[in-house]
Amino acid sequence: MMRKPHILAIPYPAQGHVIPTMELCLCLVKHGCKVTFVNTEFNHNRIMESMSEAENVINQVTVPDGLQEEEDRNDPKKLTEAFFEVVPGKLEALIRKINESDENRVSCVIADENLGWALDLAKKLGLQRVAFWTASAASLAMMLNVPKLVDDGIVGNNGEILRKQSIKLLPRMPTMNSTDLLWNCFSDPGLQRLVFDMAFKNNESVKAAEWIICNSSQVMEYEVFASYPKLIPIGPLLASNGLGKTSGNFWREDTDCLKWLDQQPLNSVIYVAFGSHTIFDIAEFQELALGLELTNRPFLWVVRQGFIEESEIAYPEGFINRTRNRGRLVEWAPQQKVLAHPSLGCFLSHCGWNSTIEGVSNGLPFLCWPYFADQLFNKSYICDVWKIGLGFDRNNNGIIGRREIKNKVEQLFGDENFKARSVDLQAEVLSSVKRGGSSYRNFSSFVNWIKARN
Ligand code: UDP
């Protein structure tokens, strides 16, 4: 019998990267590959504690993330610097050790595109190299285009924004303000520089990748895939495409909210979630609570630990009591199951790419509350390209007020075209992962390529 190809996969150590990478690996296992998944010790322990480990079809190994136990992993500069310092050596030692046994040899490395050094390492060790991009293909196209922005004098050599202007990469792609470029969304100049330099470095490393696969679908970003043929859409990668179980959650999922959803009317509930690291200030948080109250509709709201800047989560006075009968608050939801629930009416989202693709796959209209970086760009796709959602306008104080929230909820529920377009897009997207669909075919070619060179 032919040996199963052995793949080593390494995500960037953040929630929005670990979940889709795990989903990708579960699909590869389903298609006859063996996978070793590299997590940081810290994230691995969190996943184990939240009881959402991947079934043992995946071999899980850990590496230190380079930080001391008590250091802050929510500080992206600290985490990235430490990770980039420590993990390359550990990863090399790990692969060399596994490959001492010929039978178990790793033949292919799948690395998050942000970890260009892992692709360099795979090249050095003579292994197959695959870059996995977990955000939209449009945002990767933007990053690949950064050297040109420097040449054109829009961005300086150190990432400083020299000209405030809108950037339009392709005719039907939404415009992006130069000030919204990824690194410029961070306030710390050291972090800006780090992210900017990483873009250049990764653009180089990714040239050595034999595949650049994206968790997206051709039908969502047709023009990007047509213009960047090296980017290959294989998504949406959802738990339901793999072994049917979301894995890799850092928080324990509150599954009781599914029973609560069972009791709500069809298409009625507003699901409110802002991903894994958005942080609200107290004023915005309170307006959101009061806005949800004003809608008079059922809502399910994920309020993560650390969701607001202050240490105590302070709801407006009396809010909990007044909304008790139609509001449900959870610390972490089984999001993919929630989005698939028939009682859901819309998704009030920060527009992270995973949330975007999960909402689209479930035919939901969106209310968009992007926080930073590629979320702003995803919002433009949702509202202006696919036309399946509405954004919020900020008031004179720069805040999204409660009346604005109520009004947009009414507008979205009041115009059935939003739902109709969402359902049409859902049908197209889901057919791309079914037998014969574009993502299905790409994924099959990808697996065949891995197997042929094993
Ligand atoms: N998620 C979840 N439960 C929650 C909130 C989020 O399972 O209560 C998952 C969600 O399904 C998605 C991921 O966490 O897969 C968040 O990724 P996204 O790209 O949307 O946002 P990020 O956290 O990277 O900002």
Side-chain angles (χ1 to χ4, degrees):
M1 213 181 78
M2 242 179 70
R3 190 185 84 98
K4 280 187 176 183
H6 185 178
I7 297 160
L8 182 133
I10 179 161
Y12 179 82
Q15 181 72 100
H17 296 249
V18 171
I19 290 178
T21 310
M22 196 74 100
E23 278 159 2
L24 169 66
C25 291
L26 290 172
C27 286
L28 288 165
V29 167
K30 197 174 150 195
H31 285 80
C33 301
K34 174 177 171 169
V35 176
T36 290
F37 194 95
V38 185
N39 251 322
T40 63
E41 274 154 22
F42 185 85
N43 288 345
H44 180 73
N45 292 341
R46 286 181 80 176
I47 293 169
M48 290 299 152
E49 276 166 29
S50 76
M51 294 196 315
S52 68
E53 75 273 26
E55 289 127 289
N56 50 16
V57 294
I58 289 183
N59 175 32
Q60 308 233 25
V61 296
T62 60
V63 287
D65 61 12
L67 291 176
Q68 298 300 316
E69 173 90 31
E70 67 289 350
E71 282 184 278
D72 181 11
R73 271 131 185 116
N74 293 322
D75 178 335
K77 180 163 177 280
K78 254 190 173 172
L79 177 64
T80 306
E81 280 176 343
F83 188 83
F84 281 32
E85 168 83 33
V86 167
V87 180
K90 299 281 177 197
L91 190 68
E92 176 163 359
L94 179 72
I95 297 175
R96 287 193 188 277
K97 179 105 191 79
I98 299 175
N99 283 6
E100 279 170 12
S101 131
D102 206 36
E103 252 158 78
N104 195 30
R105 193 171 39 86
V106 166
S107 57
C108 174
V109 170
I110 301 184
D112 196 293
E113 201 272 351
N114 293 294
L115 311 180
W117 47 262
L119 297 168
D120 300 343
L121 172 65
K123 189 172 177 198
K124 175 173 129 188
L125 299 177
L127 306 176
Q128 291 169 283
R129 302 165 294 281
V130 179
F132 180 40
W133 182 252
T134 60
S136 70
S139 62
L140 179 53
M142 257 317 160
M143 294 313 272
L144 294 172
N145 194 50
V146 170
K148 183 161 184 307
L149 297 178
V150 174
D151 289 346
D152 293 349
I154 298 170
V155 173
N157 283 326
N158 297 325
E160 62 283 22
I161 308 301
L162 299 176
R163 292 212 307 262
K164 287 189 184 170
Q165 65 171 75
S166 57
I167 303 167
K168 195 172 178 69
L169 220 50
L170 297 168
R172 280 185 298 273
M173 192 190 257
T175 54
M176 180 194 263
N177 295 327
S178 52
T179 47
D180 290 340
L181 283 160
L182 179 64
W183 61 92
N184 203 51
C185 293
F186 298 103
S187 51
D188 171 0
L191 181 56
Q192 288 182 351
R193 186 66 203 265
L194 177 72
V195 176
F196 179 72
D197 290 347
M198 254 172 78
F200 266 86
K201 166 82 193 49
N202 291 333
N203 283 353
E204 274 311 303
S205 301
V206 87
K207 287 183 187 154
E210 291 152 291
W211 286 74
I212 306 173
I213 52 175
C214 301
N215 185 16
S216 181
S217 164
Q218 200 183 51
V219 299
M220 293 172 79
E221 305 184 84
Y222 181 79
E223 200 189 14
V224 181
F225 291 114
S227 309
Y228 291 79
K230 234 198 133 179
L231 311 187
I232 307 295
I234 54 156
L237 290 163
L238 301 170
S240 52
N241 307 143
L243 297 175
K245 192 170 168 226
T246 323
S247 298
N249 281 282
F250 290 180
W251 290 269
R252 188 183 294 256
E253 294 172 318
D254 181 335
T255 47
D256 283 350
C257 66
L258 296 169
K259 292 182 208 126
W260 178 84
L261 284 174
D262 288 343
Q263 291 152 16
Q264 308 306 318
L266 273 183
N267 299 326
S268 70
V269 176
I270 308 169
Y271 172 59
V272 187
F274 294 85
S276 58
H277 46 236
T278 312
I279 298 175
F280 270 55
D281 70 27
I282 188 73
E284 277 187 306
F285 176 77
Q286 298 220 344
E287 284 301 310
L288 173 55
L290 294 169
L292 290 172
E293 182 179 347
L294 272 182
T295 65
N296 248 327
R297 291 175 185 272
F299 62 86
L300 171 61
W301 182 10
V302 180
V303 184
R304 240 183 30 244
Q305 281 167 15
F307 180 60
I308 56 170
E309 283 164 358
E310 288 69 13
S311 55
E312 282 286 303
I313 298 212
Y315 292 97
E317 214 185 316
F319 167 79
I320 301 275
N321 266 335
R322 292 191 303 270
T323 58
R324 192 174 295 282
N325 291 333
R326 60 183 177 82
R328 173 91 196 199
L329 303 165
V330 292
E331 281 197 14
W332 192 250
Q335 181 162 302
Q336 294 195 16
K337 291 204 182 83
V338 166
L339 294 173
H341 197 286
S343 70
L344 267 234
C346 76
F347 186 5
L348 197 165
S349 170
H350 74 313
C351 308
W353 183 249
N354 294 296
S355 294
T356 302
I357 199 159
E358 290 163 4
V360 165
S361 302
N362 285 293
L364 288 170
F366 282 77
L367 289 163
C368 301
W369 190 313
Y371 180 64
F372 84 146
D374 66 321
Q375 298 158 10
L376 303 158
F377 208 32
N378 298 339
K379 178 217 163 204
S380 303
Y381 268 89
I382 292 171
C383 298
D384 307 331
V385 178
W386 310 320
K387 299 185 169 45
I388 57 167
L390 292 170
F392 293 111
D393 296 322
R394 294 185 177 269
N395 63 21
N396 295 339
N397 303 324
I399 277 186
I400 297 173
R402 64 193 86 164
R403 299 238 156 255
E404 168 67 6
I405 296 168
K406 177 187 157 55
N407 291 344
K408 288 290 161 64
V409 167
E410 289 315 315
Q411 204 181 326
L412 194 81
F413 276 94
D415 181 347
E416 59 199 30
N417 290 315
F418 286 107
K419 180 69 185 169
R421 282 190 293 265
S422 310
V423 170
D424 286 349
L425 182 61
Q426 174 194 28
E428 283 189 71
V429 165
L430 292 185
S431 71
S432 66
V433 282
K434 290 207 183 102
R435 186 175 288 278
S438 50
S439 287
Y440 181 93
R441 281 184 274 118
N442 290 338
F443 189 76
S444 302
S445 314
F446 173 54
V447 174
N448 289 340
W449 172 83
I450 292 177
K451 290 183 176 168
R453 277 159 192 78
N454 177 29

